[in-house]
Amino acid sequence: MIFLRGDLFHIPMELVGTAADPHTFMTAAQISKAESLSRIHSLSFFISAPLQMGIMVALFGIAVRMRTFAERISRSGVLQTLWFVLLFSLLTDLLFLPIDYLLFRIDHAYGMSTESLGMFWGDHAKSLLISLAGSLVMVGIFRGISRWSPRRWWLWLWGVSIPLLVIVTFLQPVVLDPLYNKFEPLQNQELKTQILDLAAQAHIPTDQVYQVNMSERTPAINAYVSGIGGNARIVLWDTTLEKLTPDEILTVMAHEMGHYVEKHIYWGLAYGIALSFAGFWLAFHAFRWILRRFGAALGLRGERDLAALPILLLLMMGMSFVSAPMQNAFSRVIEHRADQYAMRMTGDGNAAIHAFQQIAKENLSPVTQPKVVQWFRGSHPTIMERILYFEQFQK
């Protein structure tokens, strides 16, 4: 088994002793923990995805019973949808919860989570409510469109999903993210001035930088840019402020500004919309084929049957898993471009090298990964690849 034996995180011999060699900036214990934790998360990814799809298949019969129950307690189609989505969402959440809880306990054991059990359950409840609201909206839209256009509902549903995706992306920094964490203006005024000077050089129209209190959840280091239009935000974790030097923080912020300047959020939206077009088309034809072949045996009445919705969910889960390499490949391209932008802005490859060495140490991140893991889970270039690029730039 690839994840259980062998040296999966070795670096080329010519890099031994260089800045990309974890033994030059991490202890043997840290390297061992990073490799072990990475194996666990990779195994979880490749096991949980097929497991969840298997659970969805096993729920086909239960979905029929839930639909029958919803029809017994109400004649209203709206209320039937409400009851079915509520019951099915609660059941699937209960069945998938053990995986999330196990990973929570593992992260605690490895020191990568400082989150209390109360915070875990609170976050889970919030995510469940948000997911439930989104599911009700999408199922309601699907049933309405499929009644109005039985042969083209996939195309209309794809069209409706575009503005919904844009709205969620626009609202996320100011509505969704604050539900989980406290955001406030950057408190370090000297650093804030330096960051805003960098933003002015990049012609970014902003007078604010945000910090978020992630230290109550994790000791890991991170920063990100989210939102679109006037709601776009560049955010620093408070752990980043504590564990990186000002020069290192500036290279990280220049990277995030690169995403903003090169409009990577918009490119990401466009790529996601194009990929979802193929996804909706494939789901439509696969859904119809499954219903023709197995619908009667499963007790399903057609495409608009509430009990048939788990089949659509199964197809979406499968396509999400299969398309992960394409999504990650796109993400790695824009992440590298943001690294290039950061170097053009700061010209400080050494600070970037030290920043990513610190990130590897604090986040227990292996500097490299097996190719199959990088394809399916690597949304960024490996730390080794990034350090080599910064070294090359510095030379």
Side-chain angles (χ1 to χ4, degrees):
M1 181 71 178
I2 185 173
F3 300 115
L4 299 181
R5 64 175 183 267
D7 181 11
L8 303 182
F9 306 93
H10 70 280
I11 61 172
M13 285 298 297
E14 61 269 20
L15 296 181
V16 173
T18 68
D21 182 355
H23 292 90
T24 64
F25 56 88
M26 296 173 71
T27 66
Q30 288 171 330
I31 294 171
S32 177
K33 285 179 69 176
E35 293 180 349
S36 177
L37 187 60
S38 179
R39 290 176 194 267
I40 291 171
H41 281 288
S42 295
L43 272 171
S44 170
F45 175 83
F46 286 104
I47 291 174
S48 64
L51 178 62
Q52 289 177 345
M53 286 187 278
I55 290 174
M56 194 61 63
V57 172
L59 292 179
F60 286 172
I62 295 176
V64 173
R65 295 187 182 94
M66 286 185 176
R67 175 252 287 156
T68 303
F69 172 77
E71 290 175 343
R72 285 176 182 171
I73 61 176
S74 177
R75 294 183 179 181
S76 166
V78 173
L79 291 179
Q80 289 173 8
T81 299
L82 175 63
W83 275 109
F84 180 87
V85 172
L86 176 62
L87 293 173
F88 194 80
S89 296
L90 290 174
L91 178 60
T92 53
D93 180 77
L94 183 64
L95 293 173
F96 296 160
L97 179 60
I99 297 174
D100 293 337
Y101 182 74
L102 177 61
L103 291 175
F104 164 74
R105 299 304 305 178
I106 289 172
D107 285 341
H108 255 279
Y110 278 80
M112 290 312 300
S113 174
T114 56
E115 190 177 39
S116 68
L117 192 58
M119 291 178 68
F120 171 82
W121 288 115
D123 288 350
H124 188 81
K126 294 172 189 175
S127 298
L128 176 60
L129 290 174
I130 293 171
S131 174
L132 180 60
S135 298
L136 285 170
V137 170
M138 290 307 299
V139 170
I141 292 174
F142 164 71
R143 299 200 79 199
I145 290 178
S146 60
R147 179 192 296 113
W148 173 65
S149 181
R151 296 183 179 181
R152 294 287 185 271
W153 60 256
W154 69 272
L155 183 60
W156 292 106
L157 197 61
W158 172 76
V160 170
S161 73
I162 296 173
L164 290 177
L165 179 61
V166 172
I167 290 170
V168 170
T169 305
F170 181 77
L171 294 179
Q172 180 178 337
V174 294
V175 176
L176 298 180
D177 290 348
L179 292 175
Y180 298 90
N181 297 291
K182 179 184 177 183
F183 293 80
E184 59 183 355
L186 182 61
Q187 300 300 300
N188 186 327
Q189 295 303 310
E190 182 179 353
L191 180 60
K192 178 180 177 179
T193 299
Q194 291 176 301
I195 293 173
L196 291 179
D197 286 344
L198 202 62
Q201 294 175 41
H203 306 291
I204 297 176
T206 182
D207 58 358
Q208 195 56 268
V209 181
Y210 293 89
Q211 65 182 60
V212 57
N213 61 331
M214 288 300 295
S215 57
E216 63 182 21
R217 298 178 181 277
T218 177
I221 295 171
N222 197 15
Y224 64 90
V225 58
S226 65
I228 56 176
N231 279 2
R233 283 185 174 182
I234 298 176
V235 180
L236 278 163
W237 288 13
D238 58 350
T239 49
T240 305
L241 296 168
E242 295 168 6
K243 298 178 180 180
L244 296 186
T245 67
D247 286 345
E248 292 164 0
I249 291 173
L250 288 177
T251 62
V252 171
M253 295 311 294
H255 170 96
E256 301 305 330
M257 291 176 189
H259 285 308
Y260 183 94
V261 171
E262 296 199 353
K263 304 186 186 310
H264 289 162
I265 292 178
Y266 295 97
W267 282 107
L269 279 171
Y271 183 77
I273 289 168
L275 204 60
S276 68
F277 178 85
F280 275 106
W281 183 84
L282 286 171
F284 171 76
H285 289 284
F287 185 51
R288 284 196 155 187
W289 181 84
I290 291 172
L291 287 178
R292 284 197 303 269
R293 189 76 180 269
F294 306 106
L298 292 172
L300 303 177
R301 303 167 183 165
E303 293 178 36
R304 296 190 65 255
D305 189 346
L306 286 168
L309 289 175
I311 296 177
L312 274 180
L313 287 176
L314 174 66
L315 292 170
M316 290 168 60
M317 293 165 69
M319 287 187 292
S320 176
F321 181 79
V322 170
S323 66
M326 289 184 289
Q327 297 178 55
N328 286 326
F330 175 82
S331 178
R332 289 194 296 271
V333 169
I334 63 175
E335 291 297 337
H336 180 61
R337 286 188 63 87
D339 282 344
Q340 292 175 317
Y341 184 89
M343 290 300 94
R344 291 197 301 270
M345 283 293 292
T346 67
D348 197 345
N350 285 329
I353 290 170
H354 295 151
F356 278 94
Q357 288 175 337
Q358 190 72 1
I359 288 170
K361 182 164 59 176
E362 296 292 338
N363 296 12
L364 290 183
S365 301
V367 297
T368 186
Q369 296 192 103
K371 285 185 178 179
V372 66
V373 175
Q374 186 69 352
W375 290 340
F376 278 91
R377 299 189 64 230
S379 59
H380 292 61
T382 64
I383 289 178
M384 182 185 75
E385 291 169 337
R386 299 177 88 167
I387 288 177
L388 289 177
Y389 166 71
F390 297 134
E391 276 193 321
Q392 181 183 23
F393 177 87
Q394 196 65 26
K395 291 176 181 178

